[in-house]
Amino acid sequence: MDFQEKLHEFQQYIDAEEKIEPKDWMPEDYRTHNIRQISQHAHSEVIGMQPEGKWITRAPTLRAKKILLAKIQDEGGHGLYLYSAAETLGISRDEMIAQLHEGKAKYSSVFNYPTLNWADIGAIGWLVDGAAVTNQLSLRRTSFGPYSRAMLRICNEESFHQRQGYEIMLKMAKGSPEQHEMAQDALNRWWWPALMMFGPHDNQSSRTTKGMLWKIKRASNDELRQRFIDKTVPQAVFLGLKIPDPKLRWNEATGHYDTGEINWEEFNQVIHGDGPCNRERMAHHKNVHAEGAWVREAAAAYAARQE
Amino acid sequence: MNNTQGPVWEVFTQKKSGAPYQHAGSVHAFDKEMALENARDLYARRDKPSGLWVVPASEIVAVSPGDAAPFFDPSDDKVYRHPTFYEVPEGVQNL
Ligand SMILES: [Fe+2]
Ligand SMILES: [Fe+2]
Ligand SMILES: [Fe+2]
């Protein structure tokens, strides 16, 4: 069979909603597309531990601290599920981490914003995990088997993340006037970065076409963003908080919320390394990785001696 | 006594495309190819699976049943890992 025939068969298989497994034949582009998407997803989970990690020692109660620790531990786990799924495609963990450190692999721009007050932890769970899970629910149907199975596990675990965030928001929004103000401030700062998590508009996104054709992506950036907005706005109303978008209004005709435009200049700046915390996030990851080198070396030396 | 059967391989089948692989049982075989064929003949006679793995049984590392309780202990005492721990007020949807 020549390449065109194989490719045709591959596409038919995908169109029939069959899943691709690591040992199956796949076009090189399919492999690299998945490696890029899955590894960047993994990096996002891991880097995402940093903004929340800042508040472990400052959590207001022991209860809140235990929940936050469990949540962050889950995010680390999500990173590991995803690194493992990407490894089935022939890239090593070391290569992926090197790509992150060299800036060749990206992670979600949202994690380059600082967590300034306790309500930010609420806003992250509610909005950032809420946006992530909107995307991840759709990715359960992605065409690459190991990625799809990782998404199933992740979505099950995510179900408490958003709730714990909303619980914090609720306490703060319905608390003292100062607490309410902190909650509003957190929403003001996290709303737009959360919307940016879905990526550029469909007509600006060159990768969407192939990703959709191969069913790696199952819904477009704009579709997913709209889904998130539609379910989140009523939740904000319940909190008595105001979404920081003067153009936001319900559109009777479309059955969706209309919104103002995202600041794409800011998005591009942050994604290209110039957000408020990019340098800090990368420096921290590199430091911890270097500080842990002796553990990996010792384990390898011990294993070598056992042989 | 001589082993005339070859080593044991554990068999995992996938019911439908994309589903997780599940343990089905084991077979004897002298090499990878024979293991696949034996596993097919034994565990895939009906309900054609979408995938089949064989793994040398000697390569599997397992927790012994007696150790399971203390080994897995810490996973059960954190109720706040479950969504039901959080109260969702009436009127809030899609959480
Ligand atoms: Fe996350
Ligand atoms: Fe996660
Ligand atoms: Fe999460």
Side-chain angles (χ1 to χ4, degrees), chain A residues 41 89 103 112 117 133 136 193 195 217 231 248 274 281:
Chain A
H41 195 162
L89 289 163
N112 291 311
N117 78 52
V133 90
Q136 290 169 165
L195 295 191
K217 236 177 126 52
K231 70 181 175 192
L248 182 88
D274 247 346
R281 300 286 182 252

Side-chain angles (χ1 to χ4, degrees), chain A residues 45 52 71 74-75 78 124-125 128-130 132-133 136 154 157-162 164:
Chain A
E45 299 281 357
E52 291 178 299
K71 198 256 187 200
D74 271 356
E75 304 301 1
H78 296 172
I124 288 181
V128 177
D129 286 74
V133 90
Q136 290 169 165
I154 288 179
E157 298 184 359
E158 281 292 335
S159 53
F160 101 75
H161 295 186
Q162 220 197 341
Q164 63 86 32

Side-chain angles (χ1 to χ4, degrees), chain A residues 23 36 51 58 66 81 133 135 140 224 242 251:
Chain A
K23 306 235 158 166
R36 189 185 50 242
R58 293 180 283 171
K66 282 171 21 174
Y81 299 156
V133 90
N135 185 32
R140 288 177 304 178
L224 291 167
K242 216 172 136 1
N251 184 328

Side-chain angles (χ1 to χ4, degrees), chain A residues 6-39:
Chain A
K6 273 187 177 166
L7 192 63
H8 180 72
E9 227 171 61
F10 179 80
Q11 188 66 52
Q12 279 185 323
Y13 194 70
I14 283 180
D15 291 343
E17 292 294 326
E18 299 285 347
K19 303 290 181 220
I20 307 301
E21 294 296 333
K23 306 235 158 166
D24 297 348
W25 183 86
M26 61 185 83
E28 215 35 45
D29 271 7
Y30 180 83
R31 183 186 302 280
T32 49
H33 195 122
N34 266 295
I35 287 177
R36 189 185 50 242
Q37 182 169 328
I38 301 170
S39 66

Side-chain angles (χ1 to χ4, degrees), chain A residues 13 18-19 21 63 66-67 70 73 126 145 149 159-160 162-164 166-167 170 231 235 238, chain B residues 14 17-21 53 80-95:
Chain A
Y13 194 70
E18 299 285 347
K19 303 290 181 220
E21 294 296 333
R63 180 184 183 275
K66 282 171 21 174
I67 292 170
Q73 189 188 24
W126 174 38
R149 293 192 287 274
S159 53
F160 101 75
Q162 220 197 341
R163 284 193 182 185
Q164 63 86 32
Y166 197 75
E167 188 188 80
L170 196 63
K231 70 181 175 192
Q235 295 167 355
F238 187 90
Chain B
Q14 187 192 43
S17 183
Y21 281 76
W53 288 349
Y80 45 87
R81 279 194 178 131
H82 299 279
T84 43
F85 181 75
Y86 305 88
E87 210 182 308
V88 178
E90 216 170 310
V92 179
Q93 273 165 356
N94 295 312
L95 261 189

Side-chain angles (χ1 to χ4, degrees), chain A residues 212-226:
Chain A
M212 298 283 277
L213 179 72
W214 282 337
K215 300 191 192 290
I216 298 170
K217 236 177 126 52
R218 300 308 307 255
S220 78
N221 295 354
D222 286 330
E223 262 176 271
L224 291 167
R225 185 164 22 236
Q226 190 67 54

